[in-house]
Amino acid sequence: IMAAAQTGMELPMDGFSPRQRLLLTANGNVQRIVSAFYDAPVTVHLLLSQPSMLGGHERIVSMSVLGWQFMSARSSVHLLTAEWASALASGVPLGSLFQHMGVLPTFALHSVGRTDAYFWRAYSLRCAGMACEIHETFAENVFDLHSDTAATPVQHFC
């Protein structure tokens, strides 16, 4: 769970269900929310984690539950201090740096949107040592994966 910059956020009421709004405003606990909803483990698939040409790091992950992919995320990460860069260089995974450093970053939701097939959000996580810009896309029916119109089944990941 992340440190919040504010405790409430205004979202467009038309177009998002209460469950979708729960995910759109989640501050670091999407995996826990979906796992609790289905009473099943959520698997995080690391698809890409590499330095970027602009001096940061790029990361792409997807999440699945009950064999169905329900979310994908693309992150741009910038390490702002030598201490954080050193932790990464020593083998701490990029996705574990906040926890390793014992820091609760500030969560800020920047935008949300939707299409007929999915909904998305863009947000940032920041602290003195690291800044992350994250774009997540969720299957429209993330809370109805047992139906015939369920999300994309997980096939294979790198």
Side-chain angles (χ1 to χ4, degrees):
I1 296 181
M2 308 300 163
Q6 60 186 40
T7 57
M9 296 174 204
E10 289 190 36
L11 293 177
M13 290 301 289
D14 58 336
F16 295 109
S17 73
R19 290 176 180 163
Q20 290 171 334
R21 289 194 303 274
L22 181 70
L23 290 181
L24 290 170
T25 60
N27 62 351
N29 53 1
V30 165
Q31 185 175 353
R32 190 172 324 136
I33 290 168
V34 173
S35 178
F37 181 83
Y38 285 104
D39 191 24
V42 167
T43 303
V44 178
H45 307 274
L46 179 62
L47 304 176
L48 176 75
S49 184
Q50 67 184 24
S52 69
M53 295 184 350
L54 299 174
H57 297 270
E58 299 298 319
R59 189 167 187 257
I60 300 173
V61 300
S62 67
M63 289 187 191
S64 62
V65 65
L66 301 173
W68 295 97
Q69 180 180 323
F70 67 88
M71 189 273 277
S72 62
R74 177 180 292 272
S75 306
S76 295
V77 179
H78 294 277
L79 302 176
L80 306 174
T81 69
E83 180 183 14
W84 286 66
S86 177
L88 182 65
S90 74
V92 177
L94 191 60
S96 300
L97 276 173
F98 287 125
Q99 181 179 10
H100 174 79
M101 300 301 278
V103 173
L104 293 177
T106 300
F107 169 85
L109 182 63
H110 302 294
S111 60
V112 299
R114 67 173 313 107
T115 70
D116 290 338
Y118 62 88
F119 61 102
W120 57 267
R121 69 179 181 163
Y123 66 97
S124 60
L125 300 174
R126 296 182 186 276
C127 70
M130 186 163 72
C132 307
E133 300 295 328
I134 303 164
H135 186 276
E136 293 176 341
T137 302
F138 299 93
E140 170 67 26
N141 58 346
V142 61
F143 290 110
D144 190 28
L145 295 180
H146 296 291
S147 73
D148 292 336
T149 60
T152 306
V154 175
Q155 295 172 1
H156 59 84
F157 294 96
C158 302

